[in-house]
Amino acid sequence: MSEETTNKIEKIIRNYDIKGRCIDIEDNHTGNINNTYVISMQEDDGQIRRYIIQKINTAVFTDPNILMHNIDNVTKHLEKELMAMNDNVHKALHLRKTKGDDIYCYIITDEERDYYRVYDFIENAKSYDIVNSVDLAYKIGQAFGNFQMLLRDFPMDCLEETIPDFHDTPKRYIKLQKDLRRDFKRRAREITYEYDFIYEHKDCYETIINALKENRIPWRVTHNDTKANNVMMDKDTNEFLAVIDLDTVMPGSLLFDYGDGIRSTAATAFENETDLNKVGLNLELFEAYTDGFLSEMASCITEEEVRLMGESIKIITLELAIRFLDDYICGDIYFKVDAKRPKHNLERAQNQLKLVKEIEKNMTYINEYINNCYLKHKGKCRQLS
Ligand code: ADP
Ligand code: GN1
Ligand code: MG
């Protein structure tokens, strides 16, 4: 890590009432958006306590104040709910306050403000980029279902949009078309095949957003970024401990979370894989995730949501392909890319499009399984207040 980064992190630590001496700073490279550091503090009695320091990506989250207030409110609500249920196993992310009682802080470099926040480190836990066990897939599905369940009474109007129209698939598609027309990086000619595929699928993009707008499905407080590695799993028991990465918690559809969850957890390869022969949908992982998710949500999900669950997997995967492709066309300004991979975002889009094909091949089975799984869980799971 550069000396400059180390100095910045040490400066941030001094803003907080964190005991001890910093003995280690580690860069965590997981995640496409923020910069995450794990710091180890040695306290006077020799005990070592760890914290997460995150530099907020202000190109993505343009209003850190809104973002952090959402997170503060949501984590407080989760803590309260877990306490009310006497749940000592699962945790909510715990935000640290600065010495001035603020929920985030900033430092000024080159006349720019760099915004940071600090969380307690969740110990003895691990997050997975790629899931290869049915048990793990079930628990990740359960974690995101449980997350929505805990937030069922959270007042939606307390949440501000951190990224407007985040899962508005038609708007994402229109943006790609506009950026292709501008073609400011002269890359459009490279993506004819990918664009044709996306164009051929355009009729499905409005399915979820229109169902929401026309009130055929309910607005809910959703996570909106239900990637497998956004759940911390207990290293010993493999139980889920906490859902993290709360930057995009906003009003949305359950289908955004379910679709993105299957896209990520049931894929046979990570999003960065370039050997497309390795990219597929593992049906056992799909079943397990669906089972885990519905074990938490079946008592409050609506029949229209159930009907659209299968389709949501395809739509959210296509949406991410559009987003990766659009970022490639715009010159890689949104997702972090590997400096050694000039076509990283294009490769990610190709990976997601291959996944779409695999999802489509199995659509009949997917829909049948979801329906049966729903019927199995309906009425069985915890009744919600
Ligand atoms: P990004 O928005 O960039 O994806 P995340 O908030 O998901 O950032 O964090 C990136 C990674 O850092 C996670 O996948 C997880 O491995 C680790 N991490 C984040 N928060 C914690 C925490 N409180 N305790 C332990 N590890 C964490
Ligand atoms: C980003 O932050 P991270 O890495 O968990 C992105 C998601 C994408 C994902 C694809 C705020 O998630 O929407 O699905 O990359 N988050 C944001 O890997 O854009
Ligand atoms: Mg993340």
Side-chain angles (χ1 to χ4, degrees), residues 16 52 54 67-73 75-76 79 92-98 102-104 116-120:
Y16 285 81
I52 289 280
Q54 269 181 336
L67 173 81
M68 292 313 296
H69 277 97
N70 275 1
I71 295 182
D72 189 36
N73 287 331
T75 50
K76 279 183 188 148
E79 261 170 21
L93 261 183
H94 187 80
L95 203 50
R96 285 266 153 180
K97 293 248 176 100
T98 66
D102 290 321
I103 49 182
Y104 63 93
Y116 290 84
R117 60 187 171 208
V118 176
Y119 293 115
D120 285 349

Side-chain angles (χ1 to χ4, degrees), residues 39-43 47-51 96 123:
I39 59 156
S40 303
M41 303 296 291
Q42 185 160 41
E43 299 182 359
Q47 202 195 338
I48 294 169
R49 206 181 287 270
R50 295 196 282 179
Y51 300 87
R96 285 266 153 180
E123 291 291 351

Side-chain angles (χ1 to χ4, degrees), residues 152-169:
R152 70 198 178 280
D153 295 327
F154 187 88
M156 236 181 269
D157 49 10
C158 285
L159 286 174
E160 302 240 20
E161 267 196 317
T162 54
I163 304 180
D165 305 319
F166 189 61
H167 280 305
D168 189 324
T169 318

Side-chain angles (χ1 to χ4, degrees), residues 340-356:
K340 292 193 257 8
R341 289 176 63 175
K343 295 186 193 294
H344 197 164
N345 272 318
L346 173 57
E347 288 159 0
R348 285 167 166 158
Q350 289 162 341
N351 172 308
Q352 294 300 298
L353 293 179
K354 171 70 192 315
L355 186 55
V356 172

Side-chain angles (χ1 to χ4, degrees), residues 93-230:
L93 261 183
H94 187 80
L95 203 50
R96 285 266 153 180
K97 293 248 176 100
T98 66
K99 285 177 182 162
D101 212 30
D102 290 321
I103 49 182
Y104 63 93
C105 67
Y106 63 83
I107 51 177
I108 296 176
T109 34
D110 304 330
E111 294 180 20
E112 295 265 324
R113 286 183 181 190
D114 286 348
Y115 288 85
Y116 290 84
R117 60 187 171 208
V118 176
Y119 293 115
D120 285 349
F121 187 84
I122 301 166
E123 291 291 351
N124 202 40
K126 191 172 160 35
S127 70
Y128 293 82
D129 285 342
I130 174 93
V131 174
N132 42 29
S133 104
V134 164
D135 181 53
L136 208 54
Y138 179 90
K139 301 225 169 103
I140 295 175
Q142 205 185 15
F144 284 121
N146 180 259
F147 182 81
Q148 282 202 4
M149 205 268 297
L150 293 176
L151 290 169
R152 70 198 178 280
D153 295 327
F154 187 88
M156 236 181 269
D157 49 10
C158 285
L159 286 174
E160 302 240 20
E161 267 196 317
T162 54
I163 304 180
D165 305 319
F166 189 61
H167 280 305
D168 189 324
T169 318
K171 282 199 179 151
R172 297 278 187 185
Y173 172 61
I174 290 167
K175 180 172 181 311
L176 171 65
Q177 289 179 311
K178 263 197 206 144
D179 291 332
L180 276 169
R181 276 197 295 273
R182 281 174 45 216
D183 195 18
F184 148 76
K185 286 275 164 183
R186 299 256 162 271
R187 291 177 170 179
R189 64 178 185 281
E190 293 176 52
I191 66 145
T192 335
Y193 169 78
E194 291 75 17
Y195 181 73
D196 285 350
F197 188 91
I198 286 167
Y199 176 79
E200 279 159 23
H201 285 77
K202 67 179 187 317
D203 289 348
C204 70
Y205 299 155
E206 290 186 336
T207 307
I208 306 177
I209 203 77
N210 280 2
L212 270 175
K213 287 182 184 163
E214 291 160 14
N215 292 320
R216 282 182 278 117
I217 55 172
W219 287 89
R220 300 175 186 272
V221 175
T222 47
H223 184 281
N224 295 308
D225 187 1
T226 50
K227 218 166 137 174
N229 67 20
N230 287 332

